Each structure stands twice: as structure tokens, then as C-alpha cells.
């Protein structure tokens, strides 16, 4: 059975892993320490869930994840910390990201992977592109809201039911892992010329995220999707100790000009009724 590589960040291309003959496993985190310990519950949950995998890729997209790469309970030779620069508009930042993909490739070869021929990589890229574009989005009736923020842990998915019970519907799931974090469609000419460069271009230059400087891709994506889906309000989900998503609260209020509430995840169970009440209040106001 081939080696499985665990990752969470959307800046780790599954295509690159699979083209090496390894299995790409994006982790749906669950658990994680209470926020009282001072660590992001999501980062902690990811490190715990990934610890029984063959190898793990962390990214430098936030300090918490960087720290988890040093503290996770897995043989260090099976941990890869990938540098993903926050700045993205310079040629130097793009070159660094591309170099990191090549370094990740050498890491995978050490684990038993095989460096792919260009055609092999392009084939895997096409398959992923088709899979991404074929998923039809079904939206139930109800007041349309957007869920924006970090990836949800398994135990946080009750938020979607909570929205539905309150009379709303999540018409835009912009949490991490959903369509917000998909790269733009690959270009056939780009793949024919140099598939790794095309992969890097679409991942590094088109995925919107809160850690990017500037964060214009995220603001533009949300403005476009909110208008397209006539979204009436936003639920910003952030984990305790996460400054990156917390900083988006003011940004989203200013740029979207619709009601935005922030939900803190990863605290104590007695916070849950308060979160439910806040969601019900938001949807009540929007009706
Ligand atoms: S939720 Fe925030 S602090 Fe936690 S891993 Fe994601 S970006 Fe980092």
C-alpha cells in the first residue's frame, strides 16, 4: 500500500502528491485541546489527527501551525514544513513557492514516491480539475448566509444544522476546504508548456486566504460571491487564539456592508448555547 501524506492547508496541492504515486489525505480534524492551553484548537486537532499517518505536511501560513510542526508526535524525518509566503505579488514569492513544491517532491521521493514525468502530472491535474468542477451545489430555501473562515473540525459541523433550524441556509460555504480554496482552472497551454509551473501559478496566485498580504483575493472573492448568491449576512468562524481570522471581522464589515457576526470555536461546551443564540439572532434580523 502506498504512503499516505496528511495535510490541511489548501496550498498543498493534492495533484503533486498523487503524481508521485502517494496518497493525498486532507485531514478532517477533530478534537484538539481546550483554548485554555493557549494553542489554536484546530492546529492542535490537526497535529493529533495527523500523528498516525505515514507523513505530514505542515505549512507556515500561521505561527500556530509552524509551532505544531515542531511539537507533533511523529518521527521528524516524516514531517515536512512547507514555506508558503504571505506576500504573493512578487516574482520572488512565486519562485519560493515553486521551489518549495520541488523540495516537497524530493521529500516524497525519499518516502518512496516517484518523481513524475510532466505528462503524468498533467493527467492528474486534469482529473482533479474535472472532479472540482463537477460538484453541483444544492442550496435549500431559507435566508441565505455565508459561512466564512478556517476549516471546521468534525464536531463544528453542527453549525450548518443550527443555521437551517434558525430558518437560514448556508448559500456560500467559504470555510477552508470548500470551493473558496480551490485553485482556478488549469490552462491547457500552461500544462503543455510546464505543468509544475501551471500548478504553482493556479495554487499560489488564485487561492484567497486570510493570511495573504495583501488579502485582496479574499475580499474580491467574497464580494463577488455575496452579490452572486444574494447573501444577506455572514457568520465568520474563527478558533480561539486565531488572530488571522479575527482580523477579518472589521475587514468584512467594511467591504461587504451586510451584517457580520463572529463565532468563536474551540472553547468550552457551555459556549454552544450562546453561539446558537447569536446565529438565531442574526437570521431573525435578516428575515
Ligand atoms: S485557525 Fe487560525 S491559528 Fe488556527 S491553524 Fe488556522 S490560521 Fe492558524
Amino acid at each position: 500500500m502506498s504512503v499516505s501524506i496528511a495535510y490541511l492547508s489548501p496550498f498543498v496541492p493534492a495533484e503533486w502528491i498523487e503524481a508521485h504515486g502517494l496518497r493525498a489525505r486532507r485531514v478532517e480534524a477533530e478534537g484538539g485541546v481546550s483554548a485554555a492551553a493557549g494553542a489554536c484548537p484546530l492546529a492542535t486537532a490537526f497535529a493529533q489527527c495527523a500523528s498516525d499517518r505515514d507523513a505530514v505536511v505542515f505549512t507556515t501560513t500561521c505561527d500556530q501551525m509552524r509551532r505544531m510542526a515542531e511539537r507533533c508526535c511523529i518521527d521528524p524525518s516524516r514531517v515536512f514544513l512547507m514555506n508558503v509566503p504571505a506576500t504573493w505579488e512578487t516574482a520572488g514569492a512565486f519562485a519560493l513557492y515553486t521551489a518549495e513544491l520541488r523540495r516537497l517532491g524530493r521529500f516524497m521521493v525519499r518516502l518512496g514516491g516517484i518523481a513524475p514525468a510532466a505528462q503524468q502530472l498533467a493527467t492528474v491535474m486534469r482529473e482533479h480539475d474535472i472532479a472540482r468542477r463537477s460538484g453541483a451545489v444544492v442550496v435549500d430555501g431559507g435566508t441565505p448566509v455565508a459561512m466564512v473562515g478556517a476549516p471546521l473540525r468534525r464536531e463544528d459541523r453542527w453549525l450548518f444544522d443550527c443555521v437551517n433550524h434558525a430558518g437560514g441556509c448556508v448559500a456560500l460555504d467559504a470555510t477552508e476546504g470548500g470551493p473558496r480554496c480551490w485553485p482556478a482552472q488549469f490552462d491547457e497551454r500552461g500544462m503543455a508548456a510546464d505543468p509544475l509551473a501551471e500548478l504553482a501559478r493556479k495554487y499560489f496566485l488564485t487561492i484567497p486566504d486570510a493570511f495573504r498580504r495583501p488579502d485582496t483575493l479574499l475580499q474580491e472573492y467574497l464580494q463577488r460571491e455575496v452579490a452572486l448568491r444574494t447573501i444577506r449576512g455572514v457568520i465568520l468562524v474563527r478558533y480561539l487564539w486565531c488572530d488571522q481570522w479575527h482580523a477579518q471581522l472589521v475587514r468584512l464589515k467594511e467591504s461587504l456592508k451586510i451584517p457580520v457576526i463572529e463565532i468563536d470555536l474551540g472553547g468550552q461546551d457551555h459556549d454552544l448555547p450562546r453561539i446558537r443564540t447569536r446565529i438565531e439572532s442574526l437570521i431573525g434580523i435578516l428575515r
Side-chain angles (χ1 to χ4, degrees):
M1 194 182 294
S2 69
V3 169
S4 116
I5 308 276
Y7 66 99
L8 185 65
S9 170
F11 292 88
V12 179
E15 294 91 332
W16 189 228
I17 297 172
E18 290 178 9
H20 281 76
L22 307 185
R23 287 185 298 162
R25 291 288 177 262
R26 185 173 185 277
V27 170
E28 187 183 16
E30 63 180 319
V33 295
S34 138
C40 166
L42 175 70
T44 311
F46 171 63
Q48 285 173 353
C49 293
S51 61
D52 61 354
R53 309 301 165 96
D54 297 321
V56 188
V57 180
F58 289 87
T59 52
T60 57
T61 47
C62 78
D63 287 343
Q64 295 266 1
M65 276 295 179
R66 195 190 300 255
R67 220 172 301 145
M68 283 302 151
E70 294 159 4
R71 291 167 46 182
C72 84
C73 307
I74 184 168
D75 173 358
S77 69
R78 298 197 159 239
V79 175
F80 187 87
L81 178 60
M82 179 174 173
N83 285 301
V84 181
T87 53
W88 56 278
E89 294 177 307
T90 66
F94 179 71
L96 174 57
Y97 180 75
T98 308
E100 284 296 280
L101 288 181
R102 292 190 191 284
R103 192 169 67 88
L104 175 60
R106 293 193 291 276
F107 170 77
M108 291 190 287
V109 168
R110 283 201 299 279
L111 292 175
I114 297 168
Q119 201 174 9
Q120 165 70 4
L121 175 57
T123 299
V124 177
M125 289 165 66
R126 270 185 213 102
E127 289 168 357
H128 276 255
D129 235 356
I130 290 167
R132 275 192 286 266
R133 314 292 149 199
S134 62
V137 178
V138 178
V139 176
D140 296 335
T143 305
V145 298
M147 190 97 72
V148 177
L152 297 177
R153 297 172 304 172
R154 198 182 294 266
E155 61 264 49
D156 299 322
R157 302 204 70 80
W158 68 277
L159 289 173
F160 288 90
D161 291 336
C162 181
V163 169
N164 290 340
H165 288 147
C169 72
V170 178
L172 173 63
D173 177 5
T175 59
E176 195 176 296
R180 169 175 69 78
C181 298
W182 291 350
Q185 193 164 1
F186 299 124
D187 175 64
E188 275 297 334
R189 276 186 304 182
M191 283 194 287
D194 184 344
L196 180 57
E198 176 66 7
L199 186 79
R201 261 193 303 277
K202 294 298 157 58
Y203 269 78
F204 190 62
L205 301 181
T206 72
I207 297 179
D209 205 289
F211 84 98
R212 316 211 77 186
R213 295 292 175 270
D215 65 353
T216 41
L217 289 175
L218 180 62
Q219 303 306 325
E220 287 166 5
Y221 170 85
L222 291 174
Q223 284 171 11
R224 187 176 62 244
E225 294 296 323
V226 161
L228 192 67
R229 296 159 199 256
T230 56
I231 300 289
R232 309 264 296 277
V234 173
I235 300 167
L236 171 63
V237 290
R238 56 87 70 156
Y239 290 89
L240 292 169
W241 308 102
C242 176
D243 295 336
Q244 275 180 13
W245 282 106
H246 182 54
Q248 285 295 323
L249 180 61
V250 174
R251 297 276 291 139
L252 295 184
K253 282 181 176 171
E254 286 173 356
S255 67
L256 299 178
K257 298 184 174 33
I258 55 176
V260 181
I261 61 166
E262 184 184 50
I263 298 296
D264 289 333
L265 297 177
Q268 307 294 327
D269 283 350
H270 56 66
D271 293 334
L272 302 185
R274 186 174 54 81
I275 292 174
R276 181 175 282 113
T277 302
R278 296 200 62 214
I279 291 175
E280 288 169 352
S281 302
L282 172 72
I283 292 170
I285 290 166
L286 297 177
R287 277 214 203 102

